[in-house]
């Protein structure tokens, strides 16, 4: 259940970050799963979204685990995967791993 909350918070944080950068991020699909890590509550997230705006590519270039803050979680890894141009928009895949704070 914690992985779902982390995934929702990740999407919201990405939307806020994109807005601050002058573009928009609209998620299309999300898959969040628990990872077996013993003492920690870890999750893996795969997002697909559409990024639009003049600063879209620049925003994507700056995304990493240090660029996004998730209350209650540590963003251990964040990577932008495939980027496909769709007219003036970019279809992107984002992969992330989170760990619930104690």
């Amino acid at each position: 259940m914690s992985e779902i909350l982390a995934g929702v918070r990740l999407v919201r944080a990405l939307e806020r970050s994109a807005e601050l950068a002058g573009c928009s991020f609209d998620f299309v699909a999300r898959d969040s799963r628990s990872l077996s890590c013993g003492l920690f509550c870890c999750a893996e997230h795969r997002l697909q979204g559409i990024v639009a705006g003049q600063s879209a590519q620049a925003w994507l270039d700056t995304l990493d685990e240090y660029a996004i803050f998730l209350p209650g979680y540590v963003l251990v890894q964040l990577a932008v995967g495939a980027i496909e141009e769709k007219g003036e928009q970019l279809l992107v895949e984002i992969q992330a791993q989170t760990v619930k704070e104690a």
Side-chain angles (χ1 to χ4, degrees), residues 28-100:
V28 176
R30 179 182 74 226
D31 179 33
S32 296
R33 335 184 145 172
S34 257
L35 295 175
S36 178
C37 295
L39 297 175
F40 302 102
C41 294
C42 302
E44 182 177 70
H45 311 277
R46 293 176 188 261
L47 308 171
Q48 288 184 335
I50 296 173
V51 182
Q54 288 185 346
S55 60
Q57 186 62 55
W59 176 67
L60 290 171
D61 290 342
T62 64
L63 276 185
D64 62 17
E65 56 271 13
Y66 304 108
I68 302 294
F69 172 70
L70 292 179
Y73 296 87
V74 175
L75 188 56
V76 178
Q77 183 261 340
L78 185 136
V80 177
I83 300 175
E84 182 181 334
E85 289 187 35
K86 295 268 188 188
E88 301 211 0
Q89 300 176 329
L90 301 174
L91 178 62
V92 299
E93 290 182 9
I94 297 174
Q95 297 177 354
Q97 290 183 352
T98 56
V99 176
K100 186 168 177 39

